[in-house]
Amino acid sequence: MSASEMNGSFNLASLPAAERMKIEAQKHGYLILHKLKGMTGPARQARGRELMDRVPETVRPAVAEWIKARAGR
């Protein structure tokens, strides 16, 4: 057992790339939803597009997918 396992810490670098991408998408998705809280209609859509444009292109499809899945709840 390694020292990090004994003290309960977790190293994200030890995860596969797909899992790290998923975590990164969730992080950006939660931030976008937080910034859109309380907004409605066209203003919300415009601000959402603006915030998505700031997300790195490599993660953008995963963020969009995560937000869509979250909206279906």
Side-chain angles (χ1 to χ4, degrees):
M1 182 179 285
S2 71
S4 64
E5 290 173 328
M6 291 182 354
N7 69 13
S9 66
F10 184 74
N11 186 348
L12 293 176
S14 65
L15 292 175
E19 288 298 313
R20 289 194 309 269
M21 174 80 76
K22 183 178 175 183
I23 292 170
E24 189 71 12
Q26 288 176 348
K27 180 180 78 171
H28 285 287
Y30 276 119
L31 181 61
I32 289 171
L33 292 180
H34 174 73
K35 289 183 176 187
L36 295 176
K37 189 178 284 187
M39 296 179 77
T40 59
R44 179 183 170 101
Q45 290 176 346
R47 180 72 173 140
R49 282 198 276 315
E50 179 184 316
L51 293 170
M52 276 298 283
D53 288 342
R54 294 181 183 176
V55 173
E57 287 186 31
T58 57
V59 186
R60 201 173 293 165
V63 174
E65 185 178 315
W66 183 86
I67 290 174
K68 287 176 188 174
R70 182 92 175 153
R73 287 184 178 188

